[in-house]
Amino acid sequence: MKTIQTVSDLEAFISEKKNSNLVIGFVPTMGALHQGHGSLVERARLECDVVVVSIFVNPTQFNNSADFEKYPITVEKDLTYLASLQVDAVFLPNVKEVYPDTFQMPAYEIGNLDTLMEGKHRPGHFKGVVQVVYRLFDLVKPNKAYFGLKDFQQVAVIKNMTTYFNLPIEIIPCTTIREKDGLAMSSRNLRLSEGQRFEALFIYQTLNLAKALTEKLSPIALKKQLEELYAASSLRLEYVEIIDPLTFEVLTDKWVKGAVACIVAYVGEIRLIDNMVLID
Ligand code: AMP
């Protein structure tokens, strides 16, 4: 496995693979890797000739500086893990490599997705995500790129951006990997104390409950019920939305196939995100 830190070394690696017409699969990450990331890498390994993973904690997508400063970093462990998954190259750039003074993101409007859920509650977040993914796509030139559905809205934002710029990249959404007890794997889970780790399970439990209640309650009544449950819990709910998976319209009276419940809640100061398809 090659560890690449500079854009010029990455360009040399990629152009050699492109000249041989190899299919490049790309998994962008912020490190502190777990089996959720691993599942994306494994899928890329199955579907592509060359697998490139990036580890870059992108400062422009953090709207909360404490969250950025406390973001877990476990590079040595990450590299060992990626080598065990037969990754071909890991791109580990510094901020200057990703954003040299000459870099300019072409004009792009995220649109409606920037006004709801993650867009609404994390101003500037998706702008940063689009910027880094655009830049990394330009450098890695993948044929396929893998993203986790745990960040359900992010997948839609990236798909839209790829379509808008006509990039020849297939965006592949991958299912959420959970701990044995159901907690969605997340790098931020590393920051949870033992007690908080137990409290965090509430999110998965309420998503399951939501799924069980779809036959009895309308989407809007279900949302209200969930809000009440969180109000009585030790978690601080940032939002719960029940949405149409294609349009992201908030559902009120009627259920649609694929309806998704999206939840963000804080355990202490740690922000956790999860979602579940309620109507299969
Ligand atoms: P991050 O390092 O948090 O930026 O995540 C990198 C990629 O891994 C993103 O596409 C995430 O959606 C995905 N990911 C994170 N957690 C999980 C998980 N538990 N299951 C599947 N994919 C995940």
Side-chain angles (χ1 to χ4, degrees), residues 49 52 111 152 178 195 198 234 253 269:
D49 301 315
V52 179
F152 188 77
R178 299 178 180 280
F198 181 76
S234 61
D253 304 324
E269 60 171 22

Side-chain angles (χ1 to χ4, degrees), residues 137-203:
F137 278 2
D138 193 39
L139 296 172
V140 177
K141 299 183 175 38
N143 302 83
K144 298 170 187 245
Y146 298 81
F147 291 87
L149 283 166
K150 182 166 92 75
D151 299 292
F152 188 77
Q153 194 175 0
Q154 172 172 279
V155 175
V157 168
I158 300 297
K159 272 190 180 165
N160 287 352
M161 184 272 280
T162 309
T163 305
Y164 178 86
F165 288 113
N166 241 321
L167 305 177
I169 302 171
E170 190 184 347
I171 304 301
I172 302 186
C174 303
T175 45
T176 300
I177 304 298
R178 299 178 180 280
E179 302 285 355
K180 273 208 187 81
D181 60 7
L183 178 69
M185 289 191 181
S186 163
S187 305
R188 289 185 177 86
N189 293 353
L190 287 175
R191 295 182 53 205
L192 298 169
S193 69
E194 208 178 308
Q196 288 175 325
R197 168 67 184 76
F198 181 76
E199 287 175 55
L201 198 51
F202 189 72
I203 300 174

Side-chain angles (χ1 to χ4, degrees), residues 8-274:
S8 57
D9 285 354
L10 179 66
E11 281 172 344
F13 177 85
I14 296 295
S15 71
E16 187 205 315
K17 304 299 176 196
K18 285 275 168 198
N19 289 339
S20 312
N21 266 326
L22 296 175
V23 174
I24 299 178
F26 178 44
V27 182
T29 82
M30 298 204 296
L33 302 180
H34 48 69
Q35 286 163 46
H37 299 109
S39 72
L40 273 54
V41 173
E42 278 165 359
R43 176 127 183 231
R45 186 68 285 166
L46 285 176
E47 297 179 354
C48 305
D49 301 315
V50 180
V51 177
V52 179
V53 175
S54 63
I55 297 179
F56 178 62
V57 185
N58 174 37
T60 70
Q61 73 186 69
F62 284 83
N63 56 314
N64 175 332
S65 57
D67 190 27
F68 175 60
E69 278 148 27
K70 291 188 181 162
Y71 201 83
I73 294 178
T74 60
V75 177
E76 290 309 316
K77 213 169 138 239
D78 293 351
L79 293 177
T80 307
Y81 183 43
L82 293 175
S84 79
L85 296 174
Q86 265 101 52
V87 164
D88 295 287
V90 183
F91 184 44
L92 257 175
N94 65 25
V95 175
K96 269 277 165 216
E97 291 290 323
V98 178
Y99 302 124
D101 295 338
T102 49
F103 171 72
Q104 225 186 342
M105 174 76 200
Y108 178 66
E109 287 297 325
I110 295 160
N112 186 39
L113 284 176
D114 216 16
T115 65
L116 44 102
M117 300 198 298
E118 293 300 274
K120 178 174 165 190
H121 290 274
R122 300 185 72 186
H125 169 65
F126 282 138
K127 191 164 179 236
V129 168
V130 162
Q131 183 187 44
V132 76
V133 173
Y134 179 88
R135 171 72 171 147
L136 292 170
F137 278 2
D138 193 39
L139 296 172
V140 177
K141 299 183 175 38
N143 302 83
K144 298 170 187 245
Y146 298 81
F147 291 87
L149 283 166
K150 182 166 92 75
D151 299 292
F152 188 77
Q153 194 175 0
Q154 172 172 279
V155 175
V157 168
I158 300 297
K159 272 190 180 165
N160 287 352
M161 184 272 280
T162 309
T163 305
Y164 178 86
F165 288 113
N166 241 321
L167 305 177
I169 302 171
E170 190 184 347
I171 304 301
I172 302 186
C174 303
T175 45
T176 300
I177 304 298
R178 299 178 180 280
E179 302 285 355
K180 273 208 187 81
D181 60 7
L183 178 69
M185 289 191 181
S186 163
S187 305
R188 289 185 177 86
N189 293 353
L190 287 175
R191 295 182 53 205
L192 298 169
S193 69
E194 208 178 308
Q196 288 175 325
R197 168 67 184 76
F198 181 76
E199 287 175 55
L201 198 51
F202 189 72
I203 300 174
Y204 179 65
Q205 290 166 342
T206 52
L207 284 168
N208 273 320
L209 180 69
K211 192 166 180 155
L213 286 175
T214 53
E215 282 181 10
K216 283 198 192 136
L217 298 176
S218 66
I220 199 166
L222 180 53
K223 173 182 155 89
K224 193 162 168 280
Q225 174 116 19
L226 290 169
E227 284 170 345
E228 283 169 10
L229 283 171
Y230 275 85
S233 80
S234 61
L235 280 69
R236 180 162 63 80
L237 182 68
E238 187 166 85
Y239 65 78
V240 51
E241 295 292 358
I242 298 171
I243 58 159
D244 179 311
L246 299 176
T247 62
F248 280 75
E249 231 171 277
V250 170
L251 301 179
T252 51
D253 304 324
K254 285 208 182 80
W255 287 103
V256 299
K257 195 168 156 27
V260 180
C262 300
I263 290 181
V264 167
Y266 281 84
V267 179
E269 60 171 22
I270 300 150
R271 185 179 192 271
L272 298 176
I273 186 168
D274 202 354

